[in-house]
Amino acid sequence: MIMALKFQDQRPIIASDFSPHRGSLALASGADHAVDPREISPFEAHPAFGGRAPNVIFECVGVPGVIDQIIRQCDYSARS
C-alpha cells in the first residue's frame, strides 16, 4: 500500500505500527514517517508531518476493533 501511494505521489504517508522493524520497513518502502502508536497516535501526528489531518486511512492489520478505533478517531471527512 505504501509503495502504491508513493507511486501516485500521495503525501504525506504516515505509517503506524507497534513493531520498530515494521516501522523501518515502512520507511524503506516509501513512507514519509513511521510512528509507534504507543508514543503518538497517527491521528495526532499530522501537525508534525504537514499540518493536515489524514483524509484517507488504510487499515492493513485485520485485528478486531481497529476499524472501530479508526472510525472514532478520524476526522468526519476521512475515508477508509
Side-chain angles (χ1 to χ4, degrees):
M1 184 53 51
I2 290 169
M3 290 189 292
L5 291 168
K6 183 178 177 181
F7 180 75
Q8 293 181 9
D9 200 31
Q10 302 296 313
R11 293 285 191 263
I13 301 170
I14 302 172
S16 173
D17 203 299
F18 291 106
S19 165
H21 176 70
R22 287 190 298 263
S24 295
L25 287 174
L27 292 171
S29 297
D32 297 306
H33 308 281
V35 297
D36 181 335
R38 289 175 293 222
E39 296 175 11
I40 185 168
S41 164
F43 301 100
E44 296 170 359
H46 64 83
F49 305 133
R52 298 186 330 228
N55 58 356
V56 179
I57 301 159
F58 293 93
E59 193 285 312
C60 302
V61 177
V63 174
V66 172
I67 293 284
D68 291 335
Q69 181 182 13
I70 289 170
I71 291 169
R72 283 192 308 270
Q73 293 181 328
C74 69
D75 281 353
Y76 177 75
S77 62
R79 299 179 183 155
S80 64

